[in-house]
Amino acid sequence: MYISFDKTGSNNARISEFAFALYNVLFDEVDPSDMATEEDTFLNIDFIDDIEDAASGYCFRDECDDITIQINSNLSERDQAITLAHEMVHARQIVQGVDFDEKEAYTLESTLADSLYRIH
């Protein structure tokens, strides 16, 4: 899987480093057989000012069958990190072929942000 960033709404390099740290932690646990079809998949992380419904973020498969995470760039830096952690959990769920589990995403978002974002 390849990670790409559209930093239009975010100029924070720490968020990019945090995204790679999240990926390493969350996807390290994924069974390689689950990732077999994901080898050429892009994980696009977009920071946008005008996000739909003024939400914090979204994660979905796009028209190219890649995974897109959108983060509201109007959030504080800390809230962007928490939202990115939450949506990255959903990206892992997509790769694993399971339904979105909001309980898991909410449970892990603060733990991941607290443990990884301070370091980076």
Side-chain angles (χ1 to χ4, degrees), residues 30-102:
V30 175
D31 184 330
S33 64
D34 290 338
M35 296 279 292
T37 60
E38 303 297 323
E39 186 174 300
D40 294 329
T41 299
F42 281 87
L43 173 60
N44 303 303
I45 301 171
D46 301 330
F47 294 88
I48 57 178
D49 292 332
D50 192 20
I51 197 163
E52 186 177 324
D53 298 328
S56 296
Y58 290 104
C59 181
F60 55 92
R61 278 235 189 240
D62 63 20
E63 64 278 355
C64 298
D65 211 27
D66 291 325
I67 299 170
T68 296
I69 293 175
Q70 294 178 336
I71 304 295
N72 186 336
S73 60
N74 293 317
L75 298 172
S76 69
E77 180 181 323
R78 172 82 176 145
D79 286 342
Q80 284 183 23
I82 290 170
T83 301
L84 181 56
H86 181 100
E87 300 306 332
M88 192 72 87
V89 171
H90 288 319
R92 181 181 68 180
Q93 292 167 346
I94 289 172
V95 168
Q96 292 175 316
V98 299
D99 292 335
F100 277 7
D101 181 347
E102 289 297 333

Side-chain angles (χ1 to χ4, degrees), residues 3-5 7 10-25 45 47 77 81 84-85 88 112-113 115-120:
I3 299 177
S4 71
F5 291 92
K7 297 181 187 177
S10 176
N11 55 9
N12 189 337
R14 287 181 61 200
I15 294 286
S16 298
E17 292 174 15
F18 178 58
F20 284 105
L22 285 170
Y23 178 82
N24 289 334
V25 167
I45 301 171
F47 294 88
E77 180 181 323
L84 181 56
M88 192 72 87
L112 291 166
S115 63
L116 297 174
Y117 194 63
R118 286 187 296 176
I119 296 169
H120 294 88

